[in-house]
Structures are given as C-alpha cells and as structure tokens.
Amino acid sequence: MRRLGNILLWNLLAAVTILGQARPNMKQKLQSNSGLKSDCVGNLMRLSLDKALAVGNQLEVEALNGTKQIVLTPSLAAQCGYSMESDPWGNTRIYTSLMACYVDNEDDTTFNIGLRVKMYSQSPSDVVSHDVTQACSYTRWASREILCDRNFMEVSNVIASGIWKMTFYAPEPVSMVLMEAEQAGYGAMMTSSRLVMRSPYNTAETYSEDVGKTAWHSYFHRVFFSLYKSLYTLYLGGWSPNGSGVLFTEDGISWHVPRRVTPLIDGAFKIIEMHMGINGQRLDKSQMAKLGYTLSTTDFHIIIVIPVGSPDGYFKSHAPDNQYHITYSVEPMLEVLWRADSTQDDTRYKVLFPITTPLMPRPPHFQDSTVPGDRMFIVHVGTFLHDVELMNITFSTGDLTVEESNDRGFTVQEHSFPNGTKSFSLKVPFDTDVVVEHNPELLVTSYFLPLVFGFIILPEGTSFTHPVDVQATLQDVVLPTVTGNCDENLFYISVAYGNQGRNFETMVGPQQLTDDLAKDYRFQENGTHFSLIVPYTAKGIAFEQLTSDSVRARLDVLLFDSINNWVLADLYLACNFPLTTTECYSNGTMTTLAVKVESVPKLIPSLLTLRDESCKPTFSDDRFAYFSFSVDSCGTTRTFFGNYMLYENEIGLYYNNDNKKQNYNKVPKTSTIDPDYKQTISCYYVVNDTRSVAFNYKPGSNEPAAEIGLGQLMVQMKLAHDSSYKLFYKAADFPVAGILRMPLFFEAELIKSTDPQLDLSLENCWATLHEDRLSLPSWDIIVDSCENHDDSYVTLFHPVVSDSRITIPSHVKRFSIKMFTFTQDEAVLKDEIYVHCDAVICDLNSRADGSCGGRCVQTAEENTSRHQGIKGGLDRTLRCIIIQSIFSPILLMTKLASGTMRAMKQQLI
C-alpha cells in the first residue's frame, strides 16, 4: 500500500496524575510484566497498555513492515485498519485488523503483526520504545466479513480477481478507479482469496441512514473486476451503528441492534451464530451469567443488556455547572453470523461499540455525626469515585488546604470502600474561631459551622464545590454571678464572668458602669473576674431605713445582655452603716442629718426645714440635709420629766400648709399620695445631779491663781477624691486635674489632740491667684463660718461622723466647692489658684459668741465679704484645670494662720 497524506503523530496524551511512575529502559519487545500484552481476538489482534506505563507520556504507534516503520497517523490508521481507545487514566487498547495494511498475510490463514510503541516524556529525545510482534491464526472466514471498529468499517468478500473500478453510492453513484479511492481515504486491497474494502467514518461517501429505527453509518459500492479476461461486478456495503439504539436506566444499558439490516440482508436468512463480547473478546455463557450480561433476540432486534457498574467498564466523574455527576463507559462487542436462504452464503457481522451513559447526577450525601456533648463537629461527605480528591475547605475565616486544616487541629480523613468509592470526614472542635456562636435562649448556645468543600476531578483537573452547614445546640451557658459584702463604709462587689466572658453590661444602681465610673469605684479586672469598691454614700445607693445611729443602704447591681434584653445576674446588697444623725452638745447646740430614703423618692433635701421655716439646712445636696442650731431656737420645744430635760424639734416638708406653699412653689406636689416628710430629733440633758463632797475648810495664806501657759495645736487641710472622704491626694499627686464645676472636697482637721472639748471651726476661707494670702484678686468661699451668698455656686458643708479614722468629729470640718477659675474683663486669668482658711479652735464649755457659737453667725442678707475679685464659670471649651496642694502642718494659737492649697492655671483643650 502506498502511504497517504502528510504524516501526523497519532497521539494519546495521558493525563499527568500519577507521579514517579517507572519508565522501562528497554527498547525491545516487553515481557508479560512490562505493562504490554498482546493477544488474538477473532479477526483482530489486541495490544493492551497498562496505565502505569502510559500515564504522563505522549504515545506514538508505528507499523512494522519488514525493516520499515510507518507512523500511523489518525487518517492512515482508519484507512489501514488500526484503531485505539483509552480511558482517562491511560489504560489503552490498540486493535489491528488481520486484513490491515502492513500485516504479513500467509494465505489468509496466518497473520504476523508488528507494532512499535513509542512513549515520549519531557522531550522528543527522552523516548522509550517497545516492539511488539504477534502471530494470529484465523481460518473461519465467512463469505462476507463486516467489521465495525471505532474509526472505520471493513468489508471483505471472497473474490478471485483484481479490482478494476469501484462505484460508490452516497447515495448517488460516484465512480473511482483504485488510485482515486485510495486518495479519497478508502482502503482497498486483494489477498490471496479475498477482496477487502475499508471506509473511515469521515469519508465523503459515508452517509447516515435509519435501519430498523436506528441511525447507522453506511456505505455501499459496486466493484468491477476482471476474471479470465471477462468483466464481473460485485456489490459490497458496510453498516455500522453511530450511537443510537441504546437505552439507559440507573441500573443497566440495553443495546438494540436491528435483526434485519437492509440491504445488508435481503431476502430470507437464518442466524447461525450469535455472540457477545467485551473489548473485542468473546464471552461464553458462564462468563456472561457471572457478570449479569444477557444476549437475546426479538422479532426485530438483537438485544445486549449490560449492568451499569460491570467490572469490564469504568466510572468517571464530571462536574457540569458545579454539580457532581458520573458516567459509566463500556465497550461491548456483537458478532452475528447470518446465512442467506437463497445463496447459502454466510455474512459475519462484528461490531465493537463503545457506550457511555448520559450524565447521572450524584449529589454528595451529607451526614452530621456530631455528638453535642463531645463539643466536636463530625461531618461526613460523599460518596465519590476514586478520581475525586479533596483539595481545600472554606471556613468562615477563609480557605484552608487539607494539610493546613490538619495543622490547625481539624482532622480531615479520606475513607475508601470496597466498591471503589470514597468519602471524606472532618472534625472541628466547638471552641475554634471558625465556629460561629449564637445564644437563642438565655442558657443555650447554638454553634454554627459553615463549610464549603472544594474538590478536583482527576486527571483533567475539573473543580467543583459542595456547601455544608452544620449546627449543634447545647444548654452549656454558665451565667456570670455577683457577690458582695460590706464593712463600716464600703460595698465590696465581685463579678465572676461565667463561660461567655465579659459579654454583658453592668448597672450599678441606676447608672451604667462606664469607664469614668469604674475609676471612681476602683475597678479591677482579671481574665475571669472584676471587682468594685463602692462607698455607701455614692450616688445610686438607695437608703432604705434611717435610725438614730445607722442607715440601711442598698446597692443594686444588674448584669444584662443589651442585645436580647436578658437579665443575666443581679444582686441587691443591703447593709447597715454607722451614722450618727443627731448630736447634742453641752453648750446647747444640736446638729442633725436628714437623709432622703427610698420611700420618699421625690424629696428635695434642700427644701426641708425645722419647725421654724427660716431654719434651713446648713448643708444639703440631692440626698442629705444637715442642720446645726441651738436648742433655744428654730421652734425647739423643751419638756421636763424626771431628772431629764428633753429638747425636741422636727425636720419636715409640709405640702398642705397654706402658709408655706409660697416657699415650695418651685417643687409642687406631684401626687396626692406623696407622704409629708417628718423626722423628729431630740436631745436629753440631765437637769440636776446630786453628789456628796466632803471637805474641811482651812484658810490659806495665799489665794490660788492660774498661770498662763503656752502650747502648740496643729491643723492640716487636705483634698479628698470624692464625698466619701476616704481617699486623699498626696503631695506627689499635685497638680491634680479637675473639670470646670467639678466638686472639690476639702477637709480641715485638728491633729495631735485628744481633747473632746475642743471644736475646730473654719472662720473664713478664700481663694487667690498667688500664694500670698493677702494678694488680689481673691474670692470668698466661707465668710464668718457661713457660705458666701454672693456666689451662684454656694459652698456646701458636709457632716462628719465618727469612724475608724475619725474618733472626735468636732476636730474635723468638711466643705466642698465647685471648680472655678478667675476672669477679669471677660478674660481668663490663667494663673495659679490658692485656697486659704482661717481656723478657730473653741472650748465647747465656753459661752462665746461668733465662730465658737457652734453655727453660722451671719444671715443670708448680710454681706460681710472682705475679699474682692471676679470668679466665673467659663465656656465648656475650658475643660480642665490643675490643682496642687501643700500639706505642711500649720502652727496655731488663738486665731490660726491658714493651711494653704495651691491651684495651677487652666489648660485649654
């Protein structure tokens, strides 16, 4: 045969999926363990290549013809009777017709076939070649043999002369001489006894027609040949199914071949033999029964049934539109021998027919094997064919490869099953950042694990994904807890977080715990707890009950979830704190403290008075009112009984007294059931006391006389952090920053004295811009022991009670002012501020007037201010000033020099 067309490589490019495969170095014919195997299957020789040999290589096949090697291009292979098929993993079969070109044919009985297989790896120079020779014997020729292979149809007929001319019907007649037919891609040759015609499926004269309701590749031609100088004609034709006639179910494949193929069979006929096979090899009945194959006939069809999943085929994965599908491919063979009744000629019809099922959807099955109590998600996803690999997993925080997932502690495993499928499992602990937590109920946690599994199909590298969402719910919430206790002055609160961390808000009394409030309450925190120390006089503390020597105060602490409005924990801690509300002095002075209790929520302490309406509080704020008065004033009554004298007064607020309505018109009664506030105060004094004293009068020569003595008394003044007067600024703390109008709490104390008959009074206090106490400008803070009524923000006096630090309350005086700065001609004087005080120490047994009288000695209408200056509140843009205090003991005698507090200039923010 002459060689046709340009030589092209007939390639099989196997997918590079199995790395490091062994490459034989030999270049001669391989032995049985080489991955190459050849055998004879009827009128074909079959050469099989194992995938381990072919994968990753480019395959080239040459026909050996004596000393010549002919490269079998695709077109030459179809013209000359060679075909090849392979699965996606490189398992390859090469079929050679015994009537093919380059086959050594001995009398149409013995056939010697030689092939050379070349495998190219990285470069054309890196080539491994294998020579294969196979001798096949075949004598059971029918009068007419029809072979339908993958890429050609071949018809051979007994004949005894040479070909002269051929006429093709496609379906119109086209005449060609032998050379023209070969140039058109047909194969035509004579053997010792047979005429062989071969037509590739892609030739122009091959056409499609319906035979028995199925579509077939067809060609029909008339051959003119000479015999003994006479001209004869022979009609030849080939019919090969082109894919129709196949029915699919989930479980099986039915291949329907028409029982009568017209005009292949014309007239009456009889089926002599009928066989089925796989991959060109006949199967006997026992093999068919074992594999579940059936071969049957009806009046119109020959039917082959093959179960889907038969080991002679293979499954393949696909992912169209990101959806997982599979197909099943198998190559059955049908061989039928007909005999015509009219001529008794036999026709053997042999078809190799590869079949692939349509795409069958196989959505991955998801199994949630999570046991919530183990706090571990366990997810299984599958099943997949062996050609699917898990590449990555997308978590809520991003993508991780399988290796990265295992490194993070997420166990990823592959599970293989006996039927060749596989699945994948994933384990993820609840307490990782890829798990999303949510609390649908107070004590319940829902754990969400959103996943997207990323897969790849080998060898082609097609990728697809499968999303999975898993959820588990546990009643595992440990709520925070609040505990507390008290001492004589403070609440101590401890909050344990529980297992959700500090994911809650805190209310202390009516106020939310802000950063500023946390500082005031000495907030401390570690990873599991926080603690607070709250003075019982702090804002937000509720006073439940007041007695003569104590107050019952309550601190409410509430922990809540602001998102769901859930109360997580609460504490209502009530304690009794020592508090002397009324003090009776031997000089006829009474002091008393009125406290706003919870049962009178709308009370304004500054509106309280004694029985005498003009006797108003010496000091008051939104919770306290402090009164200081003599027993012969303010409507105090006196009663004698037994050996005692009782002085009694009453603190009250009378809404129903018409004479007093004008004084309270700023605070009208808001409810008819609001109670009048009344607090009775009393002091008992012993009227007479009889004592027996024995003495003997002896006149003396000299009358006794008192000697004048000298001594030192020391007073110091300090600045407190807040109204509790528990913490004080130290010398190293100054200057101290403060916000404009922020209260400043001062305390003056007589120290190093244990005499309870001494009483410390603050006669005058004032502020200056310079350290010199007589410098100008200045502003009065206390005038004659009273607040400066010229000041819009009056000085407030605070009561002093005995406690662990203060044993003699009369030795201590406390007052507070609002932070200010000096202005002059609308300009801010940004200099230092000093606070000075004149203190007076009195003998409580004395009947002296003035500052030693025990109370303020001027009325509100008097104007006795001696210090002049301008004090003003500034715009809010002037946010803070700095205060410094000097704490040095002051030497005191009858009228003491001042203790000094120093304030530095304002800073603009």
Side-chain angles (χ1 to χ4, degrees):
M1 290 290 295
R2 59 188 301 274
R3 193 169 174 180
L4 303 177
N6 296 325
I7 296 176
L8 299 175
L9 292 180
W10 183 32
N11 296 332
L12 171 68
L13 191 59
V16 183
T17 58
I18 303 176
L19 303 178
Q21 71 276 13
R23 291 198 184 102
N25 294 322
M26 60 190 73
K27 297 190 178 182
Q28 67 274 15
K29 179 182 178 181
L30 295 176
Q31 302 302 317
S32 60
N33 62 353
S34 65
L36 287 172
K37 179 182 177 181
S38 60
D39 56 355
C40 303
V41 286
N43 56 353
L44 292 169
M45 189 276 284
R46 181 177 61 184
L47 174 62
S48 301
L49 286 80
D50 186 80
K51 64 181 179 181
L53 183 66
V55 71
N57 296 312
Q58 181 174 289
L59 185 66
E60 178 184 276
V61 182
E62 296 177 344
L64 300 179
N65 185 13
T67 59
K68 296 181 180 180
Q69 299 87 37
I70 298 91
V71 177
L72 295 174
T73 65
S75 59
L76 183 60
Q79 183 180 18
C80 284
Y82 298 86
S83 70
M84 181 172 68
E85 69 89 18
S86 65
D87 64 24
W89 303 280
N91 297 299
T92 304
R93 290 186 297 274
I94 300 171
Y95 295 98
T96 303
S97 170
L98 298 186
M99 292 295 182
C101 310
Y102 318 119
V103 174
D104 182 16
N105 184 342
E106 299 179 6
D107 298 325
D108 291 337
T109 58
T110 302
F111 306 88
N112 297 300
I113 303 103
L115 295 176
R116 174 171 293 171
V117 180
K118 291 183 176 180
M119 282 163 287
Y120 295 92
S121 181
Q122 302 299 325
S123 63
S125 61
D126 185 10
V127 59
V128 178
S129 63
H130 305 272
D131 288 352
V132 178
T133 59
Q134 179 70 45
C136 294
S137 177
Y138 187 74
T139 57
R140 300 180 59 212
W141 294 103
S143 301
R144 180 171 53 179
E145 296 266 348
I146 301 175
L147 172 64
C148 295
D149 207 334
R150 286 176 166 271
N151 53 339
F152 65 87
M153 295 179 290
E154 179 183 276
V155 181
S156 69
N157 209 99
V158 176
I159 196 171
S161 181
I163 300 174
W164 172 49
K165 186 176 70 171
M166 291 173 287
T167 300
F168 291 86
Y169 298 86
E172 300 300 325
V174 178
S175 296
M176 301 181 192
V177 297
L178 180 58
M179 181 177 295
E180 291 173 335
E182 290 177 346
Q183 291 176 346
Y186 293 96
M189 59 179 293
M190 291 286 299
T191 68
S192 59
S193 61
R194 306 183 69 82
L195 170 63
V196 181
M197 294 295 300
R198 192 175 300 106
S199 174
Y201 293 139
N202 58 357
T203 56
E205 287 73 27
T206 299
Y207 59 96
S208 178
E209 66 174 326
D210 293 335
V211 179
K213 297 183 179 181
T214 60
W216 292 64
H217 293 294
S218 303
Y219 80 96
F220 180 74
H221 59 273
R222 181 171 62 173
V223 179
F224 297 89
F225 64 95
S226 59
L227 180 63
Y228 304 114
K229 298 184 180 180
S230 298
L231 185 63
Y232 293 87
T233 60
L234 177 66
Y235 292 92
L236 296 177
W239 289 264
S240 176
N242 68 353
S244 60
V246 181
L247 301 178
F248 300 98
T249 66
E250 285 289 319
D251 302 319
I253 300 171
S254 298
W255 179 24
H256 295 247
V257 178
R259 186 167 182 171
R260 172 185 293 275
V261 182
T262 305
L264 186 63
I265 301 294
D266 191 13
F269 68 96
K270 180 171 61 176
I271 296 178
I272 305 301
E273 295 180 7
M274 187 170 59
H275 306 278
M276 80 157 287
I278 295 292
N279 299 330
Q281 178 71 51
R282 283 186 187 180
L283 299 177
D284 59 31
K285 291 183 178 180
S286 63
Q287 292 173 315
M288 292 173 58
K290 181 178 179 180
L291 295 170
Y293 300 155
T294 62
L295 175 63
S296 61
T297 61
T298 65
D299 292 340
F300 303 100
H301 290 93
I302 302 170
I303 304 172
I304 291 177
V305 177
I306 300 174
V308 172
S310 160
D312 291 319
Y314 62 89
F315 284 103
K316 185 73 185 76
S317 297
H318 307 271
D321 299 324
N322 201 44
Q323 301 298 314
Y324 185 61
H325 293 71
I326 64 171
T327 58
Y328 175 73
S329 299
V330 67
E331 187 177 77
M333 179 193 75
L334 173 64
E335 187 175 339
V336 182
L337 182 65
W338 293 292
R339 177 168 294 165
D341 291 345
S342 58
T343 62
Q344 296 299 303
D345 287 338
D346 296 338
T347 297
R348 189 184 309 278
Y349 180 65
K350 183 175 182 178
V351 182
L352 278 66
F353 189 57
I355 298 174
T356 297
T357 65
L359 289 171
M360 296 179 285
R362 290 293 186 272
H365 174 68
F366 158 66
Q367 179 181 348
D368 184 1
S369 301
T370 302
V371 179
D374 295 339
R375 303 186 65 82
M376 178 76 72
F377 282 111
I378 303 177
V379 178
H380 294 267
V381 61
T383 58
F384 303 97
L385 298 180
H386 63 90
D387 57 352
V388 173
E389 295 291 338
L390 177 62
M391 296 302 293
N392 58 57
I393 304 173
T394 301
F395 297 94
S396 61
T397 57
D399 295 342
L400 295 177
T401 65
V402 172
E403 294 77 10
E404 291 170 340
S405 298
N406 283 315
D407 290 343
R408 284 282 306 274
F410 311 151
T411 305
V412 183
Q413 291 180 311
E414 179 181 306
H415 306 274
S416 299
F417 303 107
N419 63 357
T421 60
K422 65 171 69 171
S423 69
F424 301 92
S425 67
L426 171 66
K427 295 181 180 179
V428 178
F430 282 6
D431 58 351
T432 59
D433 60 350
V434 302
V435 177
V436 181
E437 297 183 19
H438 170 63
N439 296 106
E441 300 177 26
L442 180 60
L443 299 177
V444 175
T445 305
S446 289
Y447 299 90
F448 297 90
L449 180 62
L451 302 168
V452 179
F453 290 91
F455 300 97
I456 188 170
I457 299 174
L458 302 177
E460 59 269 33
T462 303
S463 61
F464 68 98
T465 60
H466 183 67
V468 169
D469 291 330
V470 287
Q471 177 180 350
T473 301
L474 277 176
Q475 189 168 331
D476 61 351
V477 176
V478 177
L479 295 177
T481 56
V482 188
T483 57
N485 56 70
C486 310
D487 62 12
E488 290 185 349
N489 298 286
L490 300 168
F491 289 98
Y492 296 90
I493 304 299
S494 178
V495 176
Y497 292 160
N499 67 352
Q500 303 292 304
R502 192 182 172 193
N503 63 337
F504 53 83
E505 303 293 336
T506 304
M507 296 291 294
V508 181
Q511 304 175 88
Q512 188 165 342
L513 184 63
T514 62
D515 291 340
D516 291 338
L517 198 60
K519 293 178 182 178
D520 294 340
Y521 291 164
R522 289 185 264 177
F523 175 88
Q524 290 186 342
E525 181 183 25
N526 59 26
T528 60
H529 295 73
F530 76 76
S531 63
L532 301 172
I533 300 177
V534 184
Y536 82 91
T537 56
K539 289 186 177 180
I541 302 298
F543 296 123
E544 295 182 337
Q545 185 179 5
L546 181 67
T547 66
S548 61
D549 59 355
S550 69
V551 62
R552 184 169 181 83
R554 189 186 73 247
L555 174 61
D556 301 338
V557 180
L558 177 68
L559 310 181
F560 67 98
D561 182 336
S562 60
I563 298 176
N564 300 294
N565 292 322
W566 291 335
V567 175
L568 306 180
D570 54 25
L571 174 69
Y572 302 95
L573 179 61
C575 299
N576 290 317
F577 296 92
L579 178 65
T580 302
T581 58
T582 302
E583 290 188 280
C584 306
Y585 298 100
S586 58
N587 64 351
T589 302
M590 294 177 63
T591 61
T592 188
L593 183 69
V595 179
K596 179 179 178 180
V597 293
E598 195 173 29
S599 60
V600 192
K602 298 185 180 299
L603 175 67
I604 300 176
S606 63
L607 298 180
L608 293 172
T609 68
L610 297 175
R611 284 179 180 147
D612 184 347
E613 175 189 346
S614 65
C615 294
K616 298 179 181 179
T618 305
F619 157 82
S620 66
D621 59 15
D622 58 348
R623 304 172 59 191
F624 297 99
Y626 179 74
F627 295 86
S628 179
F629 58 97
S630 62
V631 296
D632 57 355
S633 65
C634 297
T636 307
T637 62
R638 182 177 61 183
T639 305
F640 293 92
F641 60 94
N643 200 34
Y644 294 94
M645 180 171 56
L646 171 64
Y647 288 95
E648 194 172 62
N649 207 320
E650 191 176 77
I651 301 173
L653 181 66
Y654 306 100
Y655 290 106
N656 298 322
N657 189 335
D658 292 336
N659 295 328
K660 298 182 180 181
K661 282 185 178 179
Q662 57 182 348
N663 299 311
Y664 311 124
N665 56 9
K666 294 183 179 179
V667 186
K669 188 174 182 181
T670 58
S671 172
T672 57
I673 62 173
D674 280 349
D676 292 340
Y677 182 90
K678 291 183 179 180
Q679 179 181 339
T680 301
I681 54 177
S682 58
C683 281
Y684 293 86
Y685 291 91
V686 177
V687 175
N688 53 52
D689 189 7
T690 302
R691 295 182 182 181
S692 298
V693 179
F695 73 95
N696 184 19
Y697 174 75
K698 181 179 181 181
S701 59
N702 297 314
E703 293 293 330
E707 293 184 1
I708 298 175
L710 297 177
Q712 290 185 351
L713 295 174
M714 301 181 68
V715 173
Q716 70 174 2
M717 189 158 60
K718 298 182 290 185
L719 180 65
H721 282 263
D722 52 40
S723 60
S724 67
Y725 288 93
K726 299 301 179 184
L727 293 177
F728 295 88
Y729 292 102
K730 299 177 182 179
D733 296 331
F734 291 95
V736 175
I739 301 174
L740 197 64
R741 298 179 184 173
M742 180 190 78
L744 300 174
F745 299 94
F746 295 90
E747 178 181 278
E749 180 182 7
L750 173 62
I751 62 175
K752 296 185 179 181
S753 175
T754 59
D755 187 350
Q757 299 304 317
L758 295 182
D759 179 74
L760 174 67
S761 296
L762 296 176
E763 186 177 44
N764 296 293
C765 293
W766 65 98
T768 66
L769 279 176
H770 307 286
E771 191 170 0
D772 183 359
R773 60 197 304 247
L774 300 178
S775 62
L776 293 176
S778 66
W779 186 260
D780 288 320
I781 297 172
I782 296 175
V783 180
D784 294 332
S785 301
C786 300
E787 64 269 21
N788 180 8
H789 291 283
D790 292 337
D791 197 334
S792 58
Y793 298 99
V794 297
T795 303
L796 300 178
F797 295 93
H798 297 267
V800 180
V801 297
S802 61
D803 56 24
S804 59
R805 184 174 68 87
I806 299 175
T807 58
I808 306 176
S810 63
H811 289 189
V812 179
K813 289 296 181 285
R814 292 170 177 167
F815 66 93
S816 65
I817 63 174
K818 297 290 182 67
M819 191 58 240
F820 67 91
T821 185
F822 283 98
T823 60
Q824 187 171 5
D825 298 330
E826 298 184 357
V828 177
L829 302 180
K830 303 176 183 178
D831 293 318
E832 298 178 348
I833 297 176
Y834 299 83
V835 175
H836 315 270
C837 283
D838 287 336
V840 177
I841 298 175
C842 304
D843 183 353
L844 292 176
N845 295 320
S846 171
R847 289 290 182 175
D849 294 330
S851 299
C852 288
R855 62 189 179 92
C856 177
V857 297
Q858 73 170 58
T859 64
E861 290 76 13
E862 291 178 333
N863 184 5
T864 60
S865 177
R866 296 171 293 112
H867 302 283
Q868 300 181 13
I870 301 175
K871 184 190 80 167
L874 297 182
D875 186 86
R876 289 289 180 180
T877 56
L878 298 177
R879 294 290 301 279
C880 67
I881 59 174
I882 301 172
I883 296 179
Q884 179 179 359
S885 181
I886 302 173
F887 296 93
S888 58
I890 305 300
L891 184 61
L892 301 177
M893 294 187 67
T894 304
K895 184 174 283 190
L896 302 179
S898 64
T900 303
M901 305 199 74
R902 182 183 176 200
M904 292 194 67
K905 60 183 180 180
Q906 294 187 9
Q907 302 291 332
L908 289 178
I909 294 180

